[in-house]
Amino acid sequence: HPHSRPRHSGARTMLPLLLLLLATAHGLDKLPTLEAPVLASSSLGGQTTASTFVLEQPRCVFKNVQEDTVIWLVVADPRAVPNFTNSVEPGGPGREFQQFLNSSLAYMTLNTTILNYPCPKNPGDITVLRVGSETGCATDKARPTCNGPLPGPGPYQVKFLALNGSKPVAQTAWSKPITLRTAQPSGSIPVPGSGHSAGMIALTSILSILFAILLAGLVAMLIWGSDASSGSSTFSKPEAVTVRRYNTHHVYDQPAARL
Amino acid sequence: MARSDDAIRILQGLLVFGNVVIGMCGIALTAECIFFVSNPHGLYPLLEATGNDDIYAAAWIGIFVGFALLALSILGIVAVIKSNRTLLLVYIILMLITYAFEMASCITAATQRDFLTPNLFLKQMLERYNKSEAVNNNDKRMTEGVTKTWDKLMLQNQCCGVQGPTDWQEYTSVFRTTHSDADYPWPRNCCVMNAQGSPINLDGCKLGVPGYYNSNGCYDAISGPMNTHAWGVAWFGFAILCWTFFVLLGTMFYWSRVEY
């Protein structure tokens, strides 16, 4: 009789049940799920702005794919993430950038061949993707895969999808939610009323006191100084005093006295 | 009364010396204030747009006070040597008037300097830089002045915004209404330029790659010259006034001892 391990009767139904569970867990895609995209380093000043954000390129993520595979970036509202299907073609109905957040809750953009993401990357190279940089096609309905500026602060979730023709062959996991910056109104900047520094207060008070002393001195000088000319401590003006030599004229007087 | 005469001679000598110093300080004050009024750093349009350019008024007063101090010091020297009561009285009264003006200048410069905070310039930059519609001619002139000054500042000092390029991201601005965030996260002059005046790497600048855009703020470049201006007028004037205080007291005492 054939060598076979004795099976429990219930095991026959367990295996199909397990397969069914696995299939529903992966959303019927059965694609390998690679590591999720990440935002670029925060040393970049423009890592997130009000309508763009910067991702690291998926270098060395998609291994074992053919050379003519095209890598797409999927940008989605978090509401679209649970029911997302990879089978809708890029730019197709429900995937137009121009209708993002209206009738499309996701769109696909930044398509490029796998050859543009060589592995390993040169150390020191900045390998990033700027999402939202194409402003020219933002309202052009003929370009549903436009990499246009995002319509609001989000949050958004992204993933990379590898398509061979129109068949998905690999995907990454969804990224963590990315929230963009919101600008505060410039009118809300507080411009405090005059706060006086210590230096200014010292300067004002000292100068005021000195000026007050001078005015008091002027008044005192005018009231009491005017009669100081009769005091004993005044001094004479150094006028040009000429001492006139008085001739005593003794010689002329004597003859008058003898007469 | 030889001893008293000696004392008076010493007082005369001191007063002449005091007046010589006042004269020289007057020349220095005039020169300093002319330098500030000539707007060497080109920051006057920013001040004018705040509506509070009183440190310039203080510098203008300083120019005339400096001249007055020079003239009055010469009058003082002549009056002390001649011991003429009338001349001395004229000197004292005119000096007190000049003293009052210089006091106003010092206090104005010190007070207005406290008013110029980073937030004031930030708000002004966001509300005026590259503003396209103007309310009236005056507004248009001030807006153009602010825009040109900021462009020149950012280019010459390799800086961006008041505290940094994030100023343009954190707050709404008039600039943002005409330049989209995706094309211009910050103004073009925040990019590092080559010798011809174009950005060396426009994409690098938009991404915010260090080395391709100016990541530091311009506040130091603004507050440095303004501090020098305000403190130069205020504290040098304060020093002159302290010295003048003693010379005037001495002159008042001398006047009261001169007989007609």
Side-chain angles (χ1 to χ4, degrees), chain A residues 44-46 49-51 130 132 135 183-187 190 195 197 200 210-211 214 217 221 225 228 234-235 237, chain B residues 1 83 85 89 96 99 103 111 114 119 123 126 169-172 181-183 207-209 213 245 252 255-257 259:
Chain A
L44 289 182
T49 70
S51 61
R130 189 161 180 247
T135 47
Q184 288 177 285
S186 59
S197 63
M200 172 260 159
L210 293 184
F211 192 57
L214 282 179
M221 178 184 96
T234 54
F235 66 101
K237 280 199 284 191
Chain B
M1 300 220 281
S83 298
R85 258 195 160 198
L89 190 61
L96 280 177
Y99 193 97
M103 223 175 82
T111 315
D114 288 343
N119 273 357
K123 195 162 182 177
L126 293 171
Q169 289 293 317
E170 278 176 39
Y171 298 100
T172 62
D181 172 78
D183 281 331
L207 279 172
V209 179
Y213 82 131
F245 169 76
M252 286 180 191
W255 183 89
S256 66
R257 294 284 172 261
E259 63 170 31

Side-chain angles (χ1 to χ4, degrees), chain A residues 8 18 31 52-53 94 100 121 161 194:
Chain A
H8 197 269
L18 268 171
L31 283 183
T52 68
F53 58 95
F100 185 51
K121 73 173 193 120
L161 186 61
S194 45

